[in-house]
Amino acid sequence: MKDCLFCKIIAGEIPGSKVFENDRVFAFRDIHPQAPVHVLIVPKKHMANVLECDGETAAALAEAAGQIARQEGVAESGFRLISNCGRDGAQSVNHLHVHLLGGVQLTEKMN
Ligand code: AMP
């Protein structure tokens, strides 16, 4: 989609630190990491957030998350997946994305 930051990163128009790609999913390092491992997992097809997500895309994102966690060496120690949605969810980029956070003991607090 025109003027979408993450669509531009997927298309290679804006640099991104890619960690994973398949036919449906693209993943890159968050520019402001909040953990030693902080990867954004996004569908290649533009959709604003989880409210627009279909089952195949959800499955592809979950499968990619597992692969990336193994690749990044956090599968055994554990990690967290978060998808912010809308204003109260503090979503700042309107292209569906899942944050994968790991590499440190995360707290129980999620807000
Ligand atoms: P959210 O606040 O859930 O919408 O997450 C958006 C995330 O995108 C934030 O964690 C930002 O740090 C990250 N971000 C913004 N611009 C870029 C960029 N150019 N490359 C990588 N991550 C970015």
Side-chain angles (χ1 to χ4, degrees):
M1 184 192 247
K2 201 171 160 286
D3 297 333
C4 169
L5 173 64
F6 288 175
C7 283
K8 287 180 178 170
I9 290 175
I10 293 164
E13 293 167 14
I14 289 179
S17 180
K18 183 171 93 169
V19 299
F20 175 90
E21 181 174 15
N22 66 17
D23 57 335
R24 285 180 179 274
V25 174
F26 194 90
F28 51 97
R29 297 195 191 282
D30 196 293
I31 203 166
H32 295 126
Q34 295 191 35
V37 175
H38 188 169
V39 175
L40 299 173
I41 309 169
V42 310
K44 285 186 172 175
K45 181 180 167 196
H46 182 89
M47 50 193 82
N49 56 43
V50 74
L51 295 170
E52 296 182 3
C53 187
D54 58 274
E56 284 188 355
T57 301
L61 291 170
E63 193 177 344
Q67 289 189 42
I68 293 162
R70 286 189 283 275
Q71 187 180 305
E72 294 290 317
V74 298
E76 231 174 88
S77 51
F79 55 95
R80 181 173 291 162
L81 300 177
I82 298 172
S83 188
N84 296 327
C85 182
R87 184 197 60 206
D88 284 1
Q91 182 179 7
S92 64
V93 177
N94 289 322
H95 182 129
L96 173 62
H97 53 282
V98 176
H99 298 257
L100 187 156
L101 297 153
V104 69
Q105 175 66 63
L106 298 166
T107 67
E108 290 179 10
K109 197 167 158 59
M110 285 200 251
N111 65 344

